[in-house]
Amino acid sequence: MSRVGLLEPSELVDIAHWLELLGHVVVTLPGIDAIGADSRGIECVVVSAASLRARPEAQARCDAAGIRLIAIVRDQFTDHGLLPSGVVTVRESELADALPAAVAHGVVPTPGAQASAAPLVAVWGAPGAPGASTLAANLAVELALGPQRGGARGRRNERRRVVLIDLDCWAPALVAMFGATPDVPGVVAAARLAEMGELTPAEIARLCVDTPYGVRLLGGLSATGRWAELSAARIGRVLDAVRRNADMVVVDLGSHAPRDEIALLDPLAPRRTSAAEAAASAATLLIGCGAGNPISLARLVRAWPAWAEVTTARRELVVSHVRRGALGLDSAAQINRACRDFIGVHPMALLPRDHQAADATMRAGQPLAVAAAKSSLRHAIRELAAELAGELLGGSAVAGEPTSHAIR
């Protein structure tokens, strides 16, 4: 609980009521002069961006009194740098997630900002089940298995610590794909512990499913109605904790793009895409997955710009279910041309349509590396994993110059 001072309370009356509901003590300040003279144990001051621009001396008074200053801004204030440097800013569209953290800790969480954090690969899919969860799961397994070393008699895999997280708030599937029990604690329990600062390495190990393939799986929602518990602030802390205890993290984001929901009339209302947005903003690499047919590619093209609004991470495309005839005689060339013309990038990989391999992995509850080790689909994903490991874990590949694995 904190004592929070409000400047210009008439502009922040809704925020004052909300802060009180969260258990904070709200103190109304009659003016900027009251910050130093009558602080009454205030730990932070909340002000609208418009008021702060009109009275920039508020920052100096807060600094002198040792009080944090938090400004509620719209996008244009932060984009054009119109506020004094050093002010903690919270966007109106992110009040529900960011303001509690700013009041409690003085900073808006920036997931994965630590230089020592493990690379995070987030995978989202175009609507229509293009196989994004299959890609995320098998990519994590191949990254965990690592490259083979040694001669024919003594070959061994160089294992990596890989954590796979299911953040699909509509249709989580990774627990079932690995044949685990559906009632594992998973990401909701991790989110609660992270909010209290108690998500230790031991707790991460307890909440994850240890698979035989070297991947630790942090399962998704056991009941999809609990999506409101996965706020952006909570997920940011979960990702921070997990990335400090892994070599690489892979996250399945589902198929709903940011801002898909209409219920944004209330900026304080939780959003079902908040968890995916938090992971995308923290990602080292964001992969969009679409199927190799005209309808799925059109959906992929429409969803692509939405993810640019929530992340500055490198973004790549992977096209799955590629087969001859779906787009003409040369499907690979048609896909490359369409992605170049409508999105401006070439797919990083083209994954072949292999129903036998996909059925085998679903039927057995095992990854391709076990259920269909010699399949063309497994081979393509393993090549992609090797390329990503080389780029993100210190290889020679150059980031931002994607290659395309041709379909023969």
Side-chain angles (χ1 to χ4, degrees):
M1 182 178 69
S2 302
R3 294 181 66 84
V4 183
L6 291 188
L7 282 172
E8 305 293 343
S10 60
E11 300 180 19
L12 304 171
V13 61
D14 292 336
I15 293 177
H17 178 66
W18 182 52
L19 288 173
E20 288 176 341
L21 290 176
L22 293 175
H24 300 294
V25 176
V26 177
V27 179
T28 299
L29 298 175
I32 291 176
D33 295 340
I35 293 177
D38 188 21
S39 60
R40 288 174 282 178
I42 292 172
E43 300 171 38
C44 62
V45 171
V46 179
V47 63
S48 69
S51 298
L52 183 55
R53 290 181 62 205
R55 300 289 300 276
E57 63 269 23
Q59 182 188 15
R61 285 189 170 272
C62 285
D63 290 343
I67 298 172
R68 301 191 301 272
L69 182 60
I70 302 170
I72 309 300
V73 302
R74 293 190 176 93
D75 290 340
Q76 60 263 33
F77 290 110
T78 52
D79 290 344
H80 297 289
L82 299 179
L83 293 177
S85 61
V87 177
V88 176
T89 58
V90 175
R91 294 195 299 180
E92 288 182 354
S93 60
E94 300 173 350
L95 285 175
D97 294 329
L99 186 57
V103 169
H105 306 291
V107 296
V108 177
T110 52
Q114 300 175 355
S116 60
L120 189 155
V121 178
V123 181
W124 62 272
S133 295
T134 297
L135 172 61
N138 287 280
L139 188 60
V141 170
E142 299 299 344
L143 288 168
L145 291 177
Q148 285 190 340
R149 304 294 186 190
R153 293 185 177 180
R155 287 184 178 177
R156 67 188 187 282
N157 288 90
E158 290 189 354
R159 298 266 180 161
R160 303 187 184 98
R161 298 178 303 161
V162 176
V163 178
L164 175 63
I165 305 176
D166 194 338
L167 285 183
D168 186 342
C169 288
W170 274 266
L174 295 182
V175 168
M177 291 178 67
F178 280 89
T181 56
D183 57 347
V184 293
V187 70
V188 172
R192 290 199 302 268
L193 289 173
E195 186 176 42
M196 297 183 291
E198 298 177 2
L199 189 58
T200 62
E203 289 293 347
I204 293 173
R206 181 180 68 84
L207 296 176
C208 287
V209 176
D210 278 322
T211 70
Y213 325 108
V215 173
R216 278 185 168 178
L217 169 61
L218 187 59
L221 297 170
S222 56
T224 53
R226 301 183 67 179
W227 61 266
E229 298 181 53
L230 301 185
S231 67
R234 282 182 166 189
I235 293 304
R237 295 189 183 100
V238 170
L239 296 177
D240 277 341
V242 172
R243 295 176 75 177
R244 289 194 298 268
N245 296 277
D247 296 322
M248 186 169 284
V249 179
V250 179
V251 183
D252 179 9
L253 303 183
S255 61
H256 286 77
R259 316 305 183 194
D260 263 358
E261 302 143 296
I262 301 175
L264 292 178
L265 298 178
D266 181 2
L268 300 181
R271 297 192 310 276
R272 201 163 182 172
T273 55
S274 290
E277 292 175 29
S281 68
T284 310
L285 172 66
L286 183 63
I287 296 177
C289 180
N293 62 70
I295 294 176
S296 185
L297 288 176
R299 291 170 174 170
L300 185 68
V301 168
R302 285 194 294 269
W304 181 260
W307 292 96
E309 299 176 4
V310 297
T311 185
T312 58
R314 171 187 165 199
R315 294 185 297 150
E316 296 288 358
L317 284 177
V318 170
V319 179
S320 62
H321 300 291
V322 178
R323 68 187 189 280
R324 290 183 178 180
L327 293 165
L329 294 177
D330 192 346
S331 293
Q334 295 288 348
I335 290 169
N336 282 322
R337 187 177 300 113
C339 293
R340 180 197 62 200
D341 292 345
F342 292 101
I343 300 179
V345 298
H346 285 286
M348 189 178 194
L350 303 180
L351 307 181
R353 184 180 185 182
D354 191 338
H355 280 312
Q356 289 186 342
D359 289 345
T361 187
M362 287 294 182
R363 187 169 56 247
Q366 296 175 327
L368 291 166
V370 178
K374 297 183 179 179
S375 66
S376 59
L377 179 57
R378 191 263 171 136
H379 178 72
I381 294 178
R382 184 163 180 78
E383 280 191 350
L384 175 60
E387 184 174 340
L388 292 180
E391 294 178 4
L392 301 178
L393 297 176
S396 59
V398 180
E401 296 183 3
T403 60
S404 178
H405 304 294
I407 301 299
R408 302 296 182 188

